[in-house]
Amino acid sequence: MTKPRLTLLEHATLGERLAAMRDELLHLHVLLDNAYPKTGHEGAPARSLEKAQRAIDDARTHLDHAVFREYPRHASTALYYPHREDRAAVD
């Protein structure tokens, strides 16, 4: 049995949320990078946030490709890479 795919609206909502999460991780990463050494155990939290940011970037890339496969006539890169004013807020 084939699993249902996300609707176009679900892709758009997920894209907004992932973009906002990435922005927040970037903000926190820079905050820690400016407050602690980049190496050793003190730099580990910033490196972990950077790794999480890269994981979100990877997921967004794969989902962007999926939406173009699933909805070629309605797809837009703005779904997973929305303009700043169209991004969801991180709770």
Side-chain angles (χ1 to χ4, degrees):
M1 183 159 116
T2 303
K3 290 187 176 187
R5 303 295 189 234
L6 294 178
T7 66
L8 193 59
L9 179 59
E10 288 171 325
H11 275 293
T13 301
L14 182 58
E16 290 172 8
R17 294 179 69 193
L18 288 172
M21 291 166 68
R22 187 208 189 271
D23 289 347
E24 182 67 12
L25 286 170
L26 176 61
H27 171 76
L28 295 173
H29 173 244
V30 169
L31 178 72
L32 291 176
D33 242 7
N34 290 331
Y36 293 97
K38 292 179 180 17
T39 59
H41 69 279
E42 289 184 299
R47 289 192 303 273
S48 293
L49 291 178
E50 185 177 26
K51 185 176 179 181
Q53 180 185 327
R54 284 194 310 267
I56 287 176
D57 288 344
D58 189 48
R60 289 168 72 195
T61 298
H62 290 293
L63 288 163
D64 186 59
H65 292 149
V67 80
F68 274 87
R69 281 191 312 273
E70 296 165 16
Y71 301 97
R73 296 182 68 208
H74 303 286
S76 165
T77 56
L79 291 174
Y80 281 97
Y81 302 95
H83 299 282
R84 187 154 316 278
E85 64 271 9
D86 297 331
R87 295 179 184 203
V90 176
D91 297 331

